[in-house]
Amino acid sequence: MPHVSVDLDVCEDHAQCVFAAPTVFRMNDDDRLEYDAEYDEDLRFDVQAAADSCPVQAIKLLD
Amino acid sequence: MTDRRTIDLDHHSQEYADSYHQVADELRGSGCPVAWSEHHGGFWVTPGHADVARVARDDDYFTQDHERREDGGGLGQGVQRPPGPVRTLPIESHSPFTQFIRQLCGPAFSPAGAKQFEPRFLEMVTECLDAVIETGRVDFSEDLAAITTVRATMELIGLPADRLPLYAKVSHESSYLAPGQPGFDEAMAGIGEIQSDVIGLVSERKKNPGEGGLIDRLLVGDVRGRQLSEDEVVGVLMSLILGGGDTTATLTLQTLRWLHHNPEHRARLLTDDAYFATATEEFLRVFTPNVQIFRVATQDTELSGQPVRRGESVMMWWAAANRDPAVFADPYEVRLDRREANRHLSFGNGTHRCLGQHIARMEFRTMVREVLRRMPDYQIDESAVDRYHTVKTIDGLMHLPAVFTPGSREGGRPAAAAAAAAAVA
Ligand code: HEM
Ligand code: SF4
């Protein structure tokens, strides 16, 4: 399965990614980002969209 | 130009406003969904979800830049057809500049930022509802949504409150008036007036930085040494002022109208947060406030097999994509618990996905819930509902009058809201 990584030092919790790929990225109760590093091949398009929409470009697709 | 199917589609026409979903379905059913319209310089029309999402996302092949650049990449005409008079930012820009502006705009646009702003927004809503609550009559557009949405954006930016009547009026009217209609020239002049007002404020604040609203953040902030020019700050502020109002208002009004016809959903929406959140995405999907936006191809490519040449425009038909049966089962059905609804394109996709989406959801929730709580038996007067005559970008409502059992005030200062309502009216 492909992998994704978010640089949490850079992430500002904008949650753009959460709506682009909701099954991979989510906000916890404190409005901080949580995500699954491994995701389903089918979701590649959504995860790429999440990476594109991130205002601080904190998301890297790794394979 | 041999093998292109043409279609007589003009998004500025009343005919389009009356039938665009039907037109999209006909194209979809024809087996040759991508068609060419000769209007406004010519553009491709494509109703498919996959095509629309790709155009929105594929920055290597499509641009929304407004500037024609020296390097040959500058085919950009912005996101409107015909192109708008001013460059709006960050929409009409490319990454990395787009991301730079989005980052500068900062935490106010995150879910935490929207949550922090919620109590203040609730005060604005209270003030508007207090102004009408004892009368038993309301126009949800002029008395509520057209005012609070603009007022909220102005406060986020840090603009003086005395401008509200002008800004609310111009934001609302410029969204629905088409060229040739009475009031159109005044509305366009109003945009000019706001722009010169904003230019003045920006240069003043550049000299005397203020309280640290967004305007100051944009003026002094830098990302890796890069700062925005005063012109660029004006471009960002204009798009926020004009882009955050009627979009959010439309979602709210169309939903309140739907809840008039489907009152059995009111109670659960008022009390169940998770249900409200899922339902919001479905309302966004079916009412797609922002119906279409444009790009231009920067290289030869194809859409559903149809060749598209460099320099040709493409209409990203969000509203049609949101009813693509390949993605949404029974797309015309409003299902408030629809799961796959989060794939709607109402906030766009990719680099330019709506920066205001969390604020929009917060404003929508606050307005709808306050109406449901304080005017639980409201009834829309359908005979007086007034739709935008054309859908140049937004498919909204000018008036949504309702009656309800009068209630009592809950605080606030109704005077300011009433003054703004008088200006919009
Ligand atoms: C329901 C309400 C709203 C809808 C349907 C909506 C829709 C959209 C869409 C479709 C785009 C993408 C445009 C494109 O790709 O060319 C967009 C971008 C944008 N929206 Fe919204 N919007 C809403 C509310 C707001 C609010 C409340 C604000 C600000 C307070 C806002 C600010 C922006 C900005 C700044 C962009 C440009 C982002 C960029 O280019 O990076 N929007 N919006
Ligand atoms: S979009 Fe970027 S900044 Fe926002 S939560 Fe996701 S990773 Fe963090």
Side-chain angles (χ1 to χ4, degrees):
Chain A
M1 290 213 292
H3 288 70
V4 62
S5 119
V6 179
D7 185 340
L8 292 174
D9 294 331
V10 172
C11 168
E12 293 175 356
D13 303 304
H14 290 276
Q16 291 285 341
C17 56
V18 174
F19 285 90
T23 51
V24 178
F25 305 93
R26 66 198 81 84
M27 301 311 276
N28 69 17
D29 292 341
D30 299 323
D31 284 323
R32 303 304 306 267
L33 176 69
E34 286 174 359
Y35 69 102
D36 301 331
E38 251 188 9
Y39 63 91
D40 227 48
E41 183 63 44
D42 302 353
L43 295 171
R44 200 179 277 273
F45 186 80
D46 291 351
V47 174
Q48 184 63 55
D52 289 345
S53 67
C54 174
V56 293
Q57 296 291 283
I59 303 173
K60 296 269 172 302
L61 275 68
L62 301 172
D63 291 301
Chain B
M1 310 279 154
T2 45
D3 55 347
R4 56 176 60 180
R5 168 181 184 165
T6 57
I7 180 177
D8 182 18
L9 182 149
D10 177 1
H11 56 291
H12 289 279
S13 70
Q14 193 168 344
E15 193 189 347
Y16 176 80
D18 292 339
S19 64
Y20 64 88
H21 278 303
Q22 195 188 325
V23 173
D25 285 341
E26 280 165 18
L27 274 179
R28 237 194 296 271
S30 72
C32 174
V34 181
W36 176 257
S37 163
E38 292 284 352
H39 290 278
H40 309 291
F43 54 87
W44 289 103
V45 174
T46 173
H49 188 279
D51 281 340
V52 175
R54 170 180 165 221
V55 175
R57 301 225 8 241
D58 201 338
D59 293 344
D60 292 338
Y61 283 85
F62 298 94
T63 184
Q64 57 286 327
D65 217 327
H66 201 94
E67 241 81 328
R68 289 175 183 273
R69 293 192 308 266
E70 300 279 309
D71 63 12
L75 299 161
Q77 307 174 42
V79 295
Q80 309 280 356
R81 294 295 177 278
V86 293
R87 184 189 192 198
T88 54
L89 291 171
I91 292 192
E92 295 178 334
S93 72
H94 246 276
S95 52
F97 188 47
T98 309
Q99 261 97 17
F100 162 72
I101 299 173
R102 291 169 70 100
Q103 187 172 358
L104 263 190
C105 286
F109 293 94
S110 69
K115 205 179 269 180
Q116 204 181 350
F117 191 52
E118 190 168 342
R120 176 63 193 129
F121 186 72
L122 176 59
E123 280 175 17
M124 297 178 195
V125 172
T126 304
E127 211 177 294
C128 283
L129 295 184
D130 275 358
V132 295
I133 194 78
E134 291 168 341
T135 67
R137 290 183 173 277
V138 62
D139 177 346
F140 287 126
S141 174
E142 289 184 350
D143 295 327
L144 177 69
I147 297 167
T148 52
T149 51
V150 177
R151 190 173 184 190
T153 315
M154 289 176 67
E155 277 204 23
L156 280 174
I157 296 174
L159 295 174
D162 61 1
R163 263 70 167 188
L164 178 63
L166 171 71
Y167 283 37
K169 181 175 157 71
V170 171
S171 161
H172 187 45
E173 291 181 355
S174 64
S175 302
Y176 67 79
L177 290 172
Q181 285 176 344
F184 175 77
D185 294 337
E186 286 90 325
M188 291 302 114
I191 291 185
E193 208 178 321
I194 291 183
Q195 172 135 337
S196 37
D197 189 37
V198 171
I199 292 172
L201 284 167
V202 163
S203 71
E204 189 191 308
R205 290 282 267 279
K206 182 84 181 175
K207 287 181 222 119
N208 307 305
E211 310 288 274
L214 189 62
I215 189 169
D216 297 306
R217 209 186 140 90
L218 291 174
L219 278 169
V220 303
D222 76 274
V223 177
R224 289 180 286 279
R226 167 80 159 89
Q227 277 194 302
L228 289 180
S229 69
E230 284 183 33
D231 278 357
E232 289 165 346
V233 172
V234 171
V236 176
L237 298 183
M238 289 303 289
S239 78
L240 290 171
I241 293 164
L242 299 174
D246 270 42
T247 43
T248 313
T250 294
L251 179 65
T252 308
L253 298 173
Q254 300 281 21
T255 298
L256 288 173
R257 186 185 191 183
W258 188 85
L259 286 170
H260 161 77
H261 295 285
N262 300 275
E264 67 280 13
H265 295 279
R266 292 183 185 188
R268 185 160 176 207
L269 284 171
L270 187 54
T271 52
D272 185 338
D273 290 344
Y275 184 67
F276 195 98
T278 313
T280 300
E281 303 310 303
E282 179 69 345
F283 290 132
L284 276 161
R285 182 186 74 83
V286 286
F287 299 132
T288 319
N290 204 315
V291 176
Q292 76 274 319
I293 279 178
F294 294 81
R295 297 286 193 262
V296 64
T298 54
Q299 306 181 41
D300 291 353
T301 182
E302 49 178 66
L303 290 172
S304 294
Q306 170 65 52
V308 169
R309 293 197 181 81
R310 176 172 191 274
E312 289 177 340
S313 291
V314 178
M315 178 170 115
M316 293 192 293
W317 207 350
W318 312 120
N322 281 345
R323 297 197 181 182
D324 186 340
V327 179
F328 306 101
D330 301 318
Y332 281 84
E333 246 173 62
V334 182
R335 292 188 193 154
L336 298 191
D337 58 355
R338 192 186 279 273
R339 276 299 159 91
E340 75 278 27
N342 55 32
R343 294 190 62 94
H344 70 71
L345 297 175
S346 298
F347 285 126
N349 202 319
T351 346
H352 293 275
R353 179 185 277 270
C354 179
L355 189 64
Q357 61 170 315
H358 304 302
I359 292 174
R361 287 189 182 90
M362 179 280 287
E363 292 181 4
F364 168 72
R365 184 178 62 240
T366 307
M367 286 189 281
V368 170
R369 282 201 156 161
E370 282 299 284
V371 168
L372 292 179
R373 184 178 71 78
R374 299 185 63 184
M375 304 169 170
D377 62 351
Y378 80 84
Q379 294 285 324
I380 302 290
D381 176 1
E382 274 291 339
S383 68
V385 175
D386 208 357
R387 257 188 77 185
Y388 295 5
H389 299 301
T390 61
V391 179
K392 57 183 174 182
T393 308
I394 299 173
D395 186 1
L397 301 170
M398 287 178 276
H399 297 287
L400 189 65
V403 292
F404 56 90
T405 305
S408 40
R409 297 185 178 194
E410 295 187 354
R413 291 148 294 153
V424 172

